[in-house]
Amino acid sequence: MDPRVLDAMLPFLSGQFGNPHSKTHEYGWEAESASEAAREQVASLVGADSKEIVFTSGATESNNMAIKGIAHFYGEKKRHIITTQTEHKCVLDSCRVLQQEGFEVDYLPVKQDGLVDLELLRSLIRPDTALVSVMYVNNEIGVIQPVREIGQLCRENKVFFHCDAAQAVGKIPLDVNELKIDLMSISGHKLYGPKGIGALYVRRRPRVRIEPIFSGGGQERGMRSGTLPHSLVVGFGAACDIAGRELEADTAHIARLSARLEQGLVSRIPHVVINGSTESRYKGNLNISFAYVEGESLLMALKDMAVSSGSACTSASLEPSYVLRALGVDEEMAHTSIRFGIGRFTTEAEVDYAVENCVKHVERLREMSPLWEMVQEGIDLKSIQWSQH
Ligand SMILES: Cc1ncc(COP(=O)(O)O)c(C=O)c1O
Ligand code: FES
């Protein structure tokens, strides 16, 4: 978390701890006005009106709310949803739950570079399609989907467009009106804010309706009942405010370190592959497969670096990443993939350390590998007939 975010939050965790929904005393009003100022800060970062921002516990909740909320509100006539195979688990699982309720879902495949094929998407839209849900920046491989074109396509076909922008907001400039996004998920902890807070943008013109998941006091214009955690809200607002002001500086810093990391790894380690489009991508993410090393051993060797193979949510699983599999990456290469993240607080020394560490361990592991020995001898592994016992 950005220390400036913590500074903004602290007064609201102690002295100014009123309930923002209490209308009968000053203690409540000060909490309310702090929350509303934060709502403006979030809205302004994405070109929305503050009335279109609904606070949630994070992008997981926002995605659930958007997808299930649209399906349940419009479900009598519209029974079809389109999403992609490389969405975050919470989008895919929300769709699976709707399938069990009788909705039809198309999971759009992606191209080899991880991007959506717009013509294929166009061909899947039907008169009863309620929603298209496509993420902005992929959390595992960093690719940026053609959101503007998807927004245009959805608007032409009068289909609602939901965008999981958890990895994009605060990292790349975006405007919900320009992009014709109807619902958009945002997460606090992805932009140096606190965990446990996020938002769903819900368009007011033309109006988008969702059935709420929570029943209760009717907070957040009835869409998300429950007392607002105003200290988190204030932190989230401060994080958005900082992101808006520092986006350009962050982008330059991240691009520089990302190039240094990529260059360091690619120039010193042969047989590596960068996963996902190298053109349409957010530079703060670099996902690389190291051929001829055993994936688990590499991850274990790099355990003093906070890297993973795939996402944090799926890091307990030994299965290769479903995102890389959707790109057609073979199982071996998916197993040896490492996702590197670079952000506002990453230093050049850390990048250099990461490069040295990777070079050292990849070389060590390859020396132990019989496959690597064969590659060194110039044997084409694909030509080998492995005996089957
Ligand atoms: C693309 C994407 N969507 C959704 C989420 C879930 O967000 P949260 O942790 O705020 O629930 C994440 C977090 O990893 C993400 O990267
Ligand atoms: S995918 Fe990033 S925390 Fe779950």
Side-chain angles (χ1 to χ4, degrees), residues 60 88-89 139-140 167 189-190 310-315 322 339:
T60 298
H88 189 274
K89 267 265 181 313
N139 50 315
E140 287 195 32
Q167 298 282 352
H189 67 107
K190 305 290 183 200
S311 66
C313 293
T314 45
S315 60
Y322 67 86
R339 179 184 68 158

Side-chain angles (χ1 to χ4, degrees), residues 161-232:
F161 174 33
H162 165 246
C163 184
D164 173 2
Q167 298 282 352
V169 173
K171 318 273 179 71
I172 44 186
L174 64 91
D175 181 302
V176 287
N177 292 315
E178 272 176 30
L179 298 169
K180 303 189 170 57
I181 291 172
D182 296 309
L183 302 117
M184 185 172 79
S185 304
I186 315 175
S187 172
H189 67 107
K190 305 290 183 200
L191 61 145
Y192 313 97
K195 291 190 181 69
I197 185 78
L200 180 65
Y201 158 80
V202 185
R203 178 172 292 285
R204 273 163 69 89
R205 273 191 213 97
R207 189 164 175 205
V208 178
R209 311 281 300 270
I210 55 174
E211 196 175 285
I213 292 179
F214 292 174
S215 315
Q219 287 94 341
E220 299 296 280
R221 296 177 28 247
M223 284 184 265
R224 207 281 192 175
S225 286
T227 302
L228 272 187
H230 75 303
S231 55
L232 297 177

Side-chain angles (χ1 to χ4, degrees), residues 51-286:
K51 291 194 192 73
E52 299 175 309
I53 298 296
V54 177
F55 287 119
T56 66
S57 62
T60 298
E61 186 184 333
S62 302
N63 285 340
N64 271 266
M65 257 170 79
I67 295 167
K68 295 174 184 172
I70 288 284
H72 291 155
F73 195 91
Y74 297 97
E76 231 164 83
K77 292 205 179 95
K78 307 241 174 184
R79 307 287 295 170
H80 179 232
I81 290 162
I82 303 172
T83 187
T84 81
Q85 292 178 0
T86 55
E87 295 301 307
H88 189 274
K89 267 265 181 313
C90 61
V91 167
L92 297 174
D93 275 1
S94 295
C95 290
R96 294 252 143 76
V97 167
L98 290 173
Q99 277 178 297
Q100 282 159 9
E101 293 173 19
F103 286 87
E104 280 182 62
V105 181
D106 272 309
Y107 299 90
L108 190 66
V110 292
K111 297 182 290 187
Q112 220 176 2
D113 60 4
L115 300 180
V116 163
D117 179 337
L118 291 166
E119 284 318 304
L120 191 57
L121 173 59
R122 185 191 303 277
S123 73
L124 289 175
I125 295 177
R126 321 191 309 211
D128 68 338
T129 304
L131 183 73
V132 168
S133 178
V134 178
M135 73 203 314
Y136 208 123
V137 172
N138 184 276
N139 50 315
E140 287 195 32
I141 53 175
V143 300
I144 301 176
Q145 295 292 358
V147 171
R148 183 181 301 271
E149 291 78 2
I150 297 171
Q152 180 64 30
L153 187 58
C154 289
R155 190 61 62 82
E156 277 165 17
N157 288 278
K158 297 196 168 57
V159 175
F160 292 126
F161 174 33
H162 165 246
C163 184
D164 173 2
Q167 298 282 352
V169 173
K171 318 273 179 71
I172 44 186
L174 64 91
D175 181 302
V176 287
N177 292 315
E178 272 176 30
L179 298 169
K180 303 189 170 57
I181 291 172
D182 296 309
L183 302 117
M184 185 172 79
S185 304
I186 315 175
S187 172
H189 67 107
K190 305 290 183 200
L191 61 145
Y192 313 97
K195 291 190 181 69
I197 185 78
L200 180 65
Y201 158 80
V202 185
R203 178 172 292 285
R204 273 163 69 89
R205 273 191 213 97
R207 189 164 175 205
V208 178
R209 311 281 300 270
I210 55 174
E211 196 175 285
I213 292 179
F214 292 174
S215 315
Q219 287 94 341
E220 299 296 280
R221 296 177 28 247
M223 284 184 265
R224 207 281 192 175
S225 286
T227 302
L228 272 187
H230 75 303
S231 55
L232 297 177
V233 166
V234 166
F236 182 29
C240 288
D241 180 51
I242 296 168
R245 285 185 282 112
E246 300 192 352
L247 210 142
E248 240 176 90
D250 284 348
T251 304
H253 172 72
I254 289 166
R256 188 175 69 81
L257 290 189
S258 173
R260 190 177 178 93
L261 177 64
E262 183 180 326
Q263 180 57 21
L265 293 173
V266 172
S267 69
R268 291 182 56 193
I269 312 178
H271 301 279
V272 297
V273 176
I274 296 175
N275 295 306
S277 168
T278 46
E279 282 113 48
S280 183
R281 76 176 312 124
Y282 168 58
K283 295 274 195 301
N285 172 302
L286 187 63

